Amino acid sequence: MTINWGIAPIGWRNDDIPEIGKDNNLQQLLSDIVVANFEGTEVGGFFPDAETLNKELALRDLKIAGQWFSSFIIRDGIQKVESAFKEHCEYLRTVNAAIAVVSEQTHSIQALGNNVFTEKPTFTDEEWDVLTTGLDRLGEIATTYDLKLVYHHHMGTGVQTAEEVTRLLNQTTPEKVHLLYDSGHIFVSDGDYLALFDEHVDRIAHIHFKDVRADVLEICKADGKSFLNSFLAGMFTVPGDGIIDFTQIYARIKAAGYSGWIVIEAEQDPAKANPLEYALKARRYIDDKLLEN
């Protein structure tokens, strides 16, 4: 059992709203990660070419876990997606990543103004078949680059709930398609964060630790906020600052003998939640509540 602890760049700069944290550059982000004693990060949309990134990583002895890929398999067809995914995987191989994060964005409302709690999209049976067949193909491609494809269930998409995750995993090949378990997304979606882990522990190859502020969540639901406006309001936070008990999840992770990355990810407005302050808060929680038990 070997766990690498990382923290995502989304607390410093957000790809969905580029103006947020735009003054936080790569060097600041990576140096903050070192100060907070994490081993690495995921690639953000503002990251440079692989050669430049590798130099900055080497200066700080940091690693890259992986990077998000927005797939549109249902909308565009697998042949069109393949080409972009191969470029994605080539970059990840060059920066020595372990996984490629994939999320199907056909019909997604995560970047729109829709009520994320009541207006999520769904897929038809035909669309499910197109998606899962396509994901198997992308998984095959990922393995040729020594990467694992991990699917990210996400609020505001057609694969959000535990039921939808189960359908996706049942219709894909275990050796080709793995699961990214995200505590925050599944809690906001289903009100539970343990059942999904327990049911699909054998498919989990990447983990996001994201906490949720219960009071803010209820306000966002009542107001019918979008996904973007919900996280801007402070719905998400780092472990130890919200309602989720990560000691329960971590006990399961250890019992399963999981090896891989656990990445702290909390979409927040860096103008309201200082990125380094929250990175240090997460690190203290990990050290005091998880690693000491």
Side-chain angles (χ1 to χ4, degrees):
M1 175 179 167
T2 302
I3 292 177
N4 295 310
W5 290 94
I7 188 164
I10 203 165
W12 283 259
R13 289 177 64 166
N14 193 288
D15 290 346
D16 290 328
I17 311 177
E19 61 270 22
I20 290 180
K22 65 181 184 301
D23 294 329
N24 293 322
N25 61 29
L26 177 72
Q27 291 78 10
Q28 180 67 54
L29 161 68
L30 296 181
S31 295
D32 282 354
I33 290 173
V34 172
V35 171
N37 198 30
F38 287 98
E39 298 168 65
T41 187
E42 295 178 354
V43 174
F46 64 96
F47 278 33
D49 63 272
E51 182 180 358
T52 301
L53 177 58
N54 281 337
K55 179 179 179 180
E56 296 294 338
L57 293 169
L59 287 171
R60 298 165 178 84
D61 193 26
L62 293 175
K63 300 175 183 177
I64 290 295
Q67 182 183 12
W68 170 284
F69 178 83
S70 293
S71 66
F72 291 89
I73 297 170
I74 295 171
R75 187 192 71 183
D76 296 340
I78 189 59
Q79 288 188 332
K80 183 174 181 180
V81 175
E82 275 189 30
S83 177
F85 188 67
K86 287 177 180 176
E87 291 184 15
H88 182 81
C89 289
E90 180 62 41
Y91 180 92
L92 289 177
R93 180 169 62 181
T94 305
V95 298
N96 301 304
I99 53 95
V101 179
V102 174
S103 178
E104 178 65 17
Q105 292 297 297
T106 300
H107 310 318
S108 172
I109 64 165
Q110 75 177 65
L112 304 179
N114 303 57
N115 182 337
V116 75
F117 304 100
T118 62
E119 299 178 32
K120 73 171 293 300
T122 58
F123 298 144
T124 66
D125 289 343
E126 181 181 2
E127 287 175 329
W128 272 107
D129 291 342
V130 170
L131 172 60
T132 53
T133 300
L135 287 173
D136 269 357
R137 174 60 187 143
L138 295 187
E140 292 173 0
I141 292 170
T143 60
T144 66
Y145 291 87
D146 297 320
L147 297 164
K148 287 184 177 180
L149 184 156
V150 294
Y151 192 90
H152 193 334
H153 56 97
H154 200 287
M155 289 294 298
T157 74
V159 186
Q160 170 185 300
T161 66
E163 181 180 1
E164 290 162 343
V165 172
T166 296
R167 180 166 184 174
L168 182 139
L169 295 177
N170 285 344
Q171 289 187 216
T172 53
T173 305
E175 295 77 19
K176 299 174 182 178
V177 178
H178 308 269
L179 179 63
L180 185 163
Y181 168 80
D182 188 298
S183 58
H185 280 279
I186 197 60
F187 180 78
V188 172
S189 173
D190 289 21
D192 181 278
Y193 52 89
L194 296 176
L196 181 69
F197 186 96
D198 291 340
E199 183 174 1
H200 300 298
V201 61
D202 292 340
R203 296 287 291 273
I204 295 171
H206 194 57
I207 295 172
H208 281 174
F209 271 9
K210 180 189 278 104
D211 212 339
V212 177
R213 296 184 176 98
D215 55 340
V216 180
L217 170 59
E218 292 308 311
I219 292 171
C220 291
K221 283 183 176 180
D223 292 346
K225 289 187 182 295
S226 67
F227 177 74
L228 298 185
N229 284 331
S230 292
F231 86 68
L232 287 174
M235 183 172 72
F236 293 128
T237 185
V238 298
D241 193 43
I243 194 172
I244 293 177
D245 182 359
F246 287 89
T247 64
Q248 295 187 61
I249 304 174
Y250 193 63
R252 285 161 162 80
I253 289 170
K254 290 194 295 182
Y258 171 83
S259 290
W261 284 88
I262 298 178
V263 175
I264 306 303
E265 187 191 53
E267 294 97 326
Q268 298 194 84
D269 183 349
K272 299 178 180 178
N274 180 281
L276 178 56
E277 177 185 349
Y278 277 82
L280 290 167
K281 183 179 292 189
R283 185 73 246 184
R284 284 193 297 270
Y285 179 83
I286 292 166
D287 292 341
D288 295 345
K289 301 297 184 180
L290 304 184
L291 300 184
E292 290 299 316
N293 297 320

